[in-house]
Amino acid sequence: MEEKVAIVLSLLRGEVSAAELCRRYGTTENSLNKWKERFLEGGKAGLAGRKDEGLTALEMENRQLKEALAETVLKLEMQKKLKGL
C-alpha cells in the first residue's frame, strides 16, 4: 500500500508521467487511475470529517466474524460438556 501511495503522489505532483510510472512499476494506466481515484476520494472524506465507507464495511465484517467465532466456541464447549456427561 505504501508503494501505491508513493506512486500516486508522484503522479499528482507531476514528477513522472503516468506512462513512465506504469513501466517502472509494471502496472496499467487503468490501475493507476483507479488508485488515484481512491486516493482522492479518501482525501475528500477526510476533509469532510466522514469515516471511510470501506472502513465501516470492514468494521461490520469484523464484528460478524467475531460473533461467528464466539458462537463456534460456545458450540464446541457445549459438545465437550455433553461428551463428558
Side-chain angles (χ1 to χ4, degrees), residues 2 13 19 26 32 34 50 53 56 59 70-71 73 85:
E2 295 296 323
R13 290 180 185 135
L32 184 60
K34 285 180 184 178
R50 295 189 325 247
E53 291 174 16
T56 303
E59 289 170 340
E71 281 182 39
V73 168
L85 291 177

Side-chain angles (χ1 to χ4, degrees), residues 2 8 11 25-26 28-29 31 33 35 43 46 48 50 54 57 59 64 68-69 72-73 77 83:
E2 295 296 323
V8 170
L11 177 66
Y25 293 98
T28 64
E29 286 199 38
S31 291
N33 287 330
W35 298 348
R50 295 189 325 247
E59 289 170 340
Q64 290 170 343
L69 178 61
T72 303
V73 168
E77 290 298 319
K83 288 181 181 178

Side-chain angles (χ1 to χ4, degrees), residues 29-73:
E29 286 199 38
N30 189 35
S31 291
L32 184 60
N33 287 330
K34 285 180 184 178
W35 298 348
K36 183 176 95 174
E37 185 178 311
R38 288 183 197 143
F39 183 87
L40 294 173
E41 284 301 316
K44 285 181 193 176
L47 289 173
R50 295 189 325 247
K51 264 190 141 180
D52 181 53
E53 291 174 16
L55 182 59
T56 303
L58 286 175
E59 289 170 340
M60 286 177 34
E61 182 181 5
N62 188 27
R63 186 177 336 116
Q64 290 170 343
L65 290 171
K66 285 180 179 180
E67 289 172 2
L69 178 61
E71 281 182 39
T72 303
V73 168

Side-chain angles (χ1 to χ4, degrees), residues 7-35:
I7 293 168
V8 170
L9 287 173
S10 184
L11 177 66
L12 292 172
R13 290 180 185 135
E15 298 170 348
V16 183
S17 70
E20 176 58 28
L21 286 169
C22 290
R23 271 193 300 277
R24 192 180 296 175
Y25 293 98
T27 191
T28 64
E29 286 199 38
N30 189 35
S31 291
L32 184 60
N33 287 330
K34 285 180 184 178
W35 298 348

